[in-house]
């Protein structure tokens, strides 16, 4: 997230948005649409997950050899990404009220079917389940730079489910090109979803840029998030990067490149090497 950044909005605006998000998080989690992942809500400057490396290690998926320690070793560090990023200790707590609300079904030609896919995206941005729930080992970490945040996860999945999730992500620029979120503290918000080109990493990859335009305390605000997923067999990395100051696409690409290399090393039984001088 370190390309030239938009002008920083007044700190009071961001504080108000985040404060409202905290108050609404519980309510949001109790009202997801049918077919959407459990837990609804948001991801402002990007879900506050960091837990400098929260790791889970249930039995690995039958089609993955990733272990809990391997997932942890595959996490990127602040040295792997450009800019002055600081690792945080509680990124799983990041929430943003701009993503709390209901999808306006009337705007879709195919009605509830497409609207449910867009609601699934909004929910997934909130609880960081873009690829579904891990079936095996997983680890995550988070970083912050100013008002921007980057969440990074490595996890093992059931491969057929992972294949389906990657296909779903690929469909979103068409299915959810533009839609409206209603309700919540932000009033009506316009959401746009476009494809994001990623480095040629892994077996398959998909990138998105999601923008949410609304108001906070009468002031116009725009939340911009880069979302990236890279698949390697039954394992994958996901990156969510952005905030009210925009999303640095170069940082997203760097995280994808460095993260994929680290996971490839782990899966090959190698220890990930330090980031080369000049990167990060």
């Amino acid at each position: 997230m370190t390309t030239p950044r938009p002008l920083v909005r007044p700190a009071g605006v961001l504080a108000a948005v985040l404060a409202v998000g905290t108050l609404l998080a519980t309510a949001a989690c109790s009202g997801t649409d049918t077919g959407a992942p459990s837990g609804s809500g948001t991801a402002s400057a990007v879900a506050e997950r960091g837990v400098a490396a929260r790791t889970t290690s249930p039995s690995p998926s039958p089609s993955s050899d990733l272990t809990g320690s391997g997932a942890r070793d595959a996490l990127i560090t602040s040295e792997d990404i450009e800019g002055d990023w600081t690792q945080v200790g509680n990124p799983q707590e990041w929430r943003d009220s701009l993503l709390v609300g209901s999808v306006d079904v009337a705007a879709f030609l195919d009605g509830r079917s497409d609207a449910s896919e867009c609601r699934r995206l909004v929910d997934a941005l909130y609880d960081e389940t873009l690829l579904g729930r891990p079936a095996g080992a997983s680890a995550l970490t988070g970083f912050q730079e100013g008002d921007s945040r980057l969440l990074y996860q490595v996890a093992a999945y059931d491969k057929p489910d992972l294949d389906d999730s990657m296909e779903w992500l690929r469909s979103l620029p068409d299915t959810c090109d533009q839609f409206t979120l209603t309700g919540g503290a932000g009033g009506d918000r316009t959401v746009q979803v476009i494809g994001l080109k990623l480095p040629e990493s892994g077996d398959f990859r998909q990138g998105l840029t999601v923008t949410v335009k609304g108001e906070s305390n009468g002031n116009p605000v725009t939340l911009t998030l880069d979302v990236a997923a890279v698949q390697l067999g039954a394992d994958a990395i996901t990156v969510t990067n952005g905030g009210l100051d925009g999303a640095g696409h170069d940082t997203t690409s760097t995280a994808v490149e460095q993260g994929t290399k680290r996971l490839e090393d782990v899966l090959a039984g190698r220890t990930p090497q330090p980031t080369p001088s000049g990167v990060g």
Side-chain angles (χ1 to χ4, degrees):
M1 296 188 277
T2 54
T3 53
R5 312 209 352 209
L7 292 177
V8 177
R9 292 176 174 76
V13 173
L14 178 61
V17 173
L18 295 179
V20 174
T22 299
L23 293 173
L24 294 179
T26 300
C29 289
S30 64
T32 56
D33 291 350
T34 302
S38 62
S40 119
T42 65
S44 167
V46 190
E48 214 179 66
R49 266 209 188 154
V51 164
R54 190 186 73 180
T55 307
T56 60
S57 53
S59 300
S61 168
S63 51
S64 171
D65 293 325
L66 187 67
T67 64
S69 60
R72 184 173 61 252
D73 290 342
L75 291 173
I76 60 172
T77 70
S78 58
E79 298 300 318
D80 291 309
I81 46 180
E82 301 172 346
D84 298 321
W85 293 93
T86 301
Q87 190 171 33
V88 300
N90 58 342
Q92 74 281 359
E93 297 176 3
W94 289 341
R95 297 292 181 265
D96 191 319
S97 62
L98 288 176
L99 287 172
V100 173
S102 301
V103 174
D104 183 2
V105 178
F108 291 88
L109 294 177
D110 294 331
R112 290 191 174 278
S113 176
D114 284 352
S116 66
E117 296 305 307
C118 302
R119 180 54 189 267
R120 176 183 171 186
L121 170 63
V122 171
D123 288 344
L125 287 173
Y126 175 73
D127 60 17
E128 296 301 335
T129 54
L130 287 165
L131 298 178
R133 302 290 179 183
S138 67
L140 62 86
T141 189
F143 307 88
Q144 185 162 0
E145 182 185 61
D147 290 334
S148 295
R149 299 173 184 174
L150 186 151
L151 182 71
Y152 187 90
Q153 183 173 26
V154 178
Y157 300 87
D158 177 76
K159 189 170 185 303
D161 290 344
L162 178 58
D163 292 340
D164 290 344
S165 294
M166 292 295 293
E167 188 61 35
W168 169 70
L169 285 178
R170 281 190 282 272
S171 73
L172 292 178
D174 292 327
T175 305
C176 301
D177 174 37
Q178 180 168 310
F179 61 95
T180 300
L181 277 178
T182 63
D188 289 355
R189 281 134 291 152
T190 300
V191 183
Q192 291 183 314
V193 181
I194 62 174
L196 173 66
K197 183 176 178 57
L198 298 178
E200 294 292 320
S201 300
D203 300 332
F204 303 101
R205 67 212 64 84
Q206 179 60 49
L208 305 170
T209 297
V210 180
T211 59
V212 183
K213 295 183 179 181
E215 291 187 354
S216 175
N217 293 334
N219 297 303
V221 292
T222 300
L223 170 67
T224 305
L225 300 173
D226 275 357
V227 178
V230 178
Q231 179 180 4
L232 292 89
D235 306 310
I237 64 172
T238 54
V239 179
T240 309
N241 166 31
L244 296 179
D245 285 341
H249 303 320
D250 287 350
T251 297
T252 304
S253 293
T254 299
V256 164
E257 288 181 319
Q258 296 299 319
T260 302
K261 290 176 183 177
R262 293 183 71 88
L263 181 55
E264 287 173 340
D265 282 343
V266 167
L267 295 176
R270 300 187 296 265
T271 300
Q273 297 302 304
T275 300
S277 176
V279 177

